[in-house]
């Protein structure tokens, strides 16, 4: 994966609508002592980053024009459990993009 590009670490930045004032950036290691991460291991790191972000932002109010994007740990808003990592790819050189989708099926079961 990224090892063939010579990349050992990447910065993961999460910018959620309504929370632009609270951008979240973490450094992710792409290697373990035994070698490069698998895609599954990287997905776990991304999920952990999102979990921490949602936990922190759930105590903050989103901007007024983005109330529908509110993050929450239970209650009203988008919870971590409704986020699904659907894609992760190398966009160009050392820039990677990931795609998160909202699981709308869970709305009907809540």
């Amino acid at each position: 994966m990224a090892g063939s590009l010579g990349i050992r670490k990447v910065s993961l930045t999460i910018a959620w609508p309504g929370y632009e004032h609270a951008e979240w950036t973490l450094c992710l290691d792409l290697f373990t002592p035994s070698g490069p991460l698998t895609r599954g291991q990287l997905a776990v790191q991304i999920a952990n980053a999102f979990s921490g972000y949602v936990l922190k932002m759930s105590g903050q109010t989103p901007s007024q024009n983005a109330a529908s994007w509110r993050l929450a740990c239970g209650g009203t808003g988008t919870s971590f459990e409704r986020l699904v990592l659907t894609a992760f790819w190398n966009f160009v050189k050392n820039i990677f993009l990931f795609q998160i989708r909202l699981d709308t099926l869970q709305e009907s079961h809540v």
Side-chain angles (χ1 to χ4, degrees):
M1 193 170 64
S4 63
L5 300 172
I7 300 168
R8 299 193 66 80
K9 295 181 182 217
V10 294
S11 291
L12 172 68
T13 300
I14 301 171
W16 192 265
Y19 297 89
E20 292 84 359
H21 62 284
E23 193 173 89
W24 182 273
T25 301
L26 298 169
C27 182
L28 303 179
D29 288 316
L30 299 179
F31 282 82
T32 67
S34 60
L37 290 180
T38 65
R39 286 184 176 269
Q41 290 169 319
L42 183 56
V44 167
Q45 285 195 25
I46 293 170
N48 288 338
F50 262 92
S51 176
Y53 181 79
V54 170
L55 182 63
K56 182 172 179 159
M57 294 304 121
S58 65
Q60 297 188 25
T61 303
S63 60
Q64 192 172 28
N65 61 346
S68 63
W69 288 95
R70 173 181 289 281
L71 292 169
C73 291
T76 304
T78 300
S79 66
F80 169 73
E81 290 77 16
R82 293 184 55 211
L83 302 178
V84 180
L85 177 64
T86 57
F88 181 83
W89 65 97
N90 180 220
F91 180 64
V92 64
K93 293 186 182 181
N94 64 344
I95 298 173
F96 291 79
L97 299 175
F98 56 91
Q99 179 176 324
I100 303 293
R101 295 203 182 221
L102 185 61
D103 181 359
T104 56
L105 293 176
Q106 285 193 19
E107 284 182 359
S108 61
H109 295 97
V110 176

